[in-house]
Amino acid sequence: MEGSQYIAMTGMLAAARSLDVTSNNLANTNSTAFKAERAAYRAVPFFYQGLPNRVDTVAQKNGVNWQEGPIQQTGRSLDVAINGPGFFVVQDAGGAQAYSRAGNLDVTSQGMLVNSNGQAVLSTGHAPIYVPPNAQVSIAPDGAVSVIPNTPNAQAATVGQILVVNPNLQSLQLAGNGTFAPANGTTINLKNSIAANLVPGALEGSNVNPVSSMVHMINDSRLFQWETQAEQMIAADQKDAGSIPTNL
């Protein structure tokens, strides 16, 4: 493939990937605590027979907009938003841990406090939090989880305190379903806990700006169209050049 055609092709791929990322942002405009992404690329020379004869567009790790989303009151006792920096630490059934800011919590039939993905929300004791069946649950601004069992003359009791940590944002990578994990396979350091500053009965909204995302989508669509037209023109020119007689 000729150098100019190769450059156009890599540009098409980059524009298509940017469209995917922007479309995902728009689809998560109303997702709890969603952080907008932006596709990132780097232009590098491509060497052939020791000489740089074209440029390659290399995809980099997606950038993340860490700005906090707006806090919206819901009045639900199991909803909680983090006001300021920090993440909840969640754990799946296999023991894999991740970070999340989504506080739309629930209680399983076994009494475990989980997030919307079914992952356990860890306590400051680094273990899942359990509540009695049919108990009234409340979460305090410091993360303390209190319950009132559904029994006569029951008294409120604290069953755990939600762990909030503050990792280095530059060391995080997307882990799916609104969660993040340390890059390069490192383990989560549960000792980096901070004082929880929670807003009970509320959720953090998505930080996606719909208007800005639509502008990005239009620009990416135009770029993809231009790169496609360029690749077609280059291919047509090469075809015409190949039909010129060599004995003239």
Side-chain angles (χ1 to χ4, degrees):
M1 183 181 295
E2 293 295 329
S4 55
Q5 191 174 10
Y6 184 88
I7 294 172
M9 181 199 70
T10 58
M12 288 171 55
L13 294 176
R17 182 166 176 265
S18 293
L19 276 170
D20 288 341
V21 171
T22 305
S23 298
N24 184 62
N25 288 341
L26 284 170
N28 285 280
T29 301
N30 296 317
S31 296
T32 302
F34 181 82
K35 302 305 177 193
E37 300 176 68
R38 185 63 178 166
Y41 303 91
R42 181 166 58 93
V44 297
F46 187 90
F47 291 85
Y48 178 71
Q49 293 183 346
L51 297 174
N53 70 335
R54 64 191 69 171
V55 176
D56 197 359
T57 303
V58 179
Q60 304 294 294
K61 184 176 72 171
N62 286 355
V64 178
N65 177 7
W66 294 109
Q67 180 180 355
E68 297 167 25
I71 294 180
Q72 305 159 337
Q73 292 292 330
T74 66
R76 181 173 176 267
S77 62
L78 289 176
D79 285 345
V80 60
I82 298 177
N83 185 17
F87 290 82
F88 304 115
V89 180
V90 296
Q91 179 177 283
D92 63 22
Q97 296 176 351
Y99 298 112
S100 174
R101 284 182 63 90
N104 44 338
L105 309 182
D106 212 335
V107 177
T108 67
S109 57
Q110 291 76 35
M112 182 188 295
L113 190 66
V114 298
N115 66 358
S116 59
N117 300 326
Q119 298 164 304
V121 178
L122 296 190
S123 69
T124 52
H126 308 162
I129 299 172
Y130 288 88
V131 302
N134 303 317
Q136 299 179 30
V137 183
S138 64
I139 302 174
D142 64 355
V145 180
S146 300
V147 299
I148 300 179
N150 187 21
T151 56
N153 303 318
Q155 299 295 318
T158 300
V159 294
Q161 185 174 13
I162 295 175
L163 174 66
V164 177
V165 297
N166 191 23
N168 179 6
L169 298 180
Q170 303 305 316
S171 67
L172 300 184
Q173 64 182 6
L174 292 167
N177 296 321
T179 62
F180 299 86
N184 303 320
T186 57
T187 58
I188 292 178
N189 186 356
L190 299 180
K191 295 181 180 180
N192 291 334
S193 61
I194 60 175
N197 184 17
L198 308 183
V199 182
L203 292 175
E204 179 186 353
S206 169
N207 70 355
V208 173
N209 184 321
V211 175
S212 177
S213 294
M214 284 300 301
V215 171
H216 282 308
M217 177 168 283
I218 293 171
N219 291 338
D220 291 339
S221 298
R222 288 175 176 171
L223 177 60
F224 183 82
Q225 181 180 12
W226 293 336
E227 296 288 359
T228 301
Q229 292 174 345
E231 197 279 335
Q232 292 173 345
M233 291 176 60
I234 294 169
D237 289 344
Q238 291 175 351
K239 182 178 179 181
D240 292 341
S243 63
I244 297 177
T246 58
N247 57 351
L248 292 181

